[in-house]
Amino acid sequence: MGAVSKGPRNLITDVAGLRVGNAQDDGLKSGSTVLVGDKPFVASVHVMGGAPGTRETDLLAPDKTVAAVDALVLSGGSAFGLDACSGVMDGLRAMGRGYAVGAMHIPIVPGAIIFDLINGGDKDWDENPYRALGRAALDAAEDTFALGSVGVGTGAMAAMQKGGLGSASMVLADGTTVGALVAVNSLGSVTTPGDRHFWAAPFEMEGEFGGMGPDTAAGLVTPQSSRKEKAMFMHATGQFANTTIAIVATDAPLSKSQCHRMAVAAHDGLARAIVPAHTPLDGDLVFAASTGTGDIVDHQAMRDIGAAAAICLSRAICRGVYEATAADGDIIPTYREML
């Protein structure tokens, strides 16, 4: 891979042509996040969790006809949150964006959701709020955005502390940029026993999530008793209350099948940062996107891009938890509150 560095923002928007918008309702303790391209971009997806919640992901398979998408959505709200994609579609249609069919333009907006319905927020709505949150997130899309308890990360929870929205980027030796965006709401823990050290500490760059370094304790194989599980009474109220959903992206020109391989490789980063990962009770999913144009890259370049995607995703997961902030009604603490 050669010499690498963080991107100038250390965000997925270091990948040229991408913007991210967040919208949240603090009373609801939930929100939505959208990744939108300046123009349609190639995308695919790989799901490894046992309990995903998705919209329009079938069309991202390499053998399906649609060649590019307009946006990707990560939302809270469980199945209700899939309606955030409708709000994004509304906004894109108003811009004249979308797949042309005669005189019609149909925005292509795949999405995925996390379960954040039992997190201390007020969920007693009369009308599904996520369509409006999706539209607001699109309207807020910029090349710089906040991390932690914002957008889809507003009410997210990992096993031992609040989760959140995370992002990271990396510039490879040949100038290729790779980035990741993630909503951390996992069954597994992002920290080792004792809550101070991140599992993915070996991949940290320039103290971006506190600089605590790796845990030197031996035998880190016994799962911790999850604060999240106790707080949510998961055994009684529903087991499928977890998911880490992510997007990895690059400015290298990739085919749809190469995007799929990039998503597969990025799951390694998820497993390095969350223990356990990819369980039957998680909906772990990674989208992959390419904004590059020209001749597609070769296998050697794909090796490096996939490795970078995994590292960026590990770092983004830790940053999402590290940047989470406390709010009224929280049912578990933040990482920094436990230091």
Side-chain angles (χ1 to χ4, degrees), residues 256-267:
K256 202 173 180 184
S257 61
Q258 287 177 321
C259 276
H260 179 255
R261 293 309 309 173
M262 182 184 181
V264 171
H267 273 283

Side-chain angles (χ1 to χ4, degrees), residues 93 108 114 127 157 164 183 185 197 222 235 248 255 263 266 302 328:
R93 184 173 184 271
I108 307 299
I114 64 171
E127 181 177 339
M157 295 185 289
N185 190 61
H197 299 276
T222 303
H235 291 303
V248 292
S255 67
M302 271 304 302
D328 291 342

Side-chain angles (χ1 to χ4, degrees), residues 165-226:
L165 180 72
S167 191
S169 68
M170 179 183 293
V171 181
L172 307 186
D174 66 358
T176 297
T177 299
V178 177
L181 180 73
V182 62
V184 186
N185 190 61
S186 54
L187 175 71
S189 178
V190 179
T191 51
T192 64
D195 304 319
R196 292 178 61 83
H197 299 276
F198 288 97
W199 287 108
F203 306 102
E204 185 175 12
M205 298 179 72
E206 301 176 22
E208 62 195 336
F209 41 89
M212 286 291 184
D215 193 337
T216 59
L220 298 174
V221 295
T222 303
Q224 300 177 86
S225 179
S226 170

Side-chain angles (χ1 to χ4, degrees), residues 88-129:
V88 175
M89 287 185 71
D90 290 343
L92 289 169
R93 184 173 184 271
M95 299 174 193
R97 295 279 300 268
Y99 184 76
V101 183
M104 292 295 296
H105 287 82
I106 306 168
I108 307 299
V109 184
I113 48 85
I114 64 171
F115 183 98
D116 59 0
L117 298 180
I118 307 174
N119 63 0
D122 180 6
K123 306 303 193 295
D124 188 24
W125 63 71
D126 293 322
E127 181 177 339
N128 188 328

Side-chain angles (χ1 to χ4, degrees), residues 24-121:
Q24 61 274 335
D25 181 322
D26 293 331
L28 188 68
K29 277 190 183 294
S30 188
S32 300
T33 296
V34 59
L35 177 88
V36 61
D38 293 338
K39 59 183 180 180
F41 54 88
V42 179
S44 192
V45 68
H46 188 62
V47 181
M48 290 191 69
T54 62
R55 172 166 160 164
E56 296 274 45
T57 50
D58 282 354
L59 60 79
L60 297 178
D63 64 329
K64 298 303 185 288
T65 302
V66 171
V69 305
D70 296 288
L72 297 168
V73 173
L74 308 178
S75 183
S78 188
F80 298 104
L82 293 174
D83 208 30
C85 298
S86 298
V88 175
M89 287 185 71
D90 290 343
L92 289 169
R93 184 173 184 271
M95 299 174 193
R97 295 279 300 268
Y99 184 76
V101 183
M104 292 295 296
H105 287 82
I106 306 168
I108 307 299
V109 184
I113 48 85
I114 64 171
F115 183 98
D116 59 0
L117 298 180
I118 307 174
N119 63 0

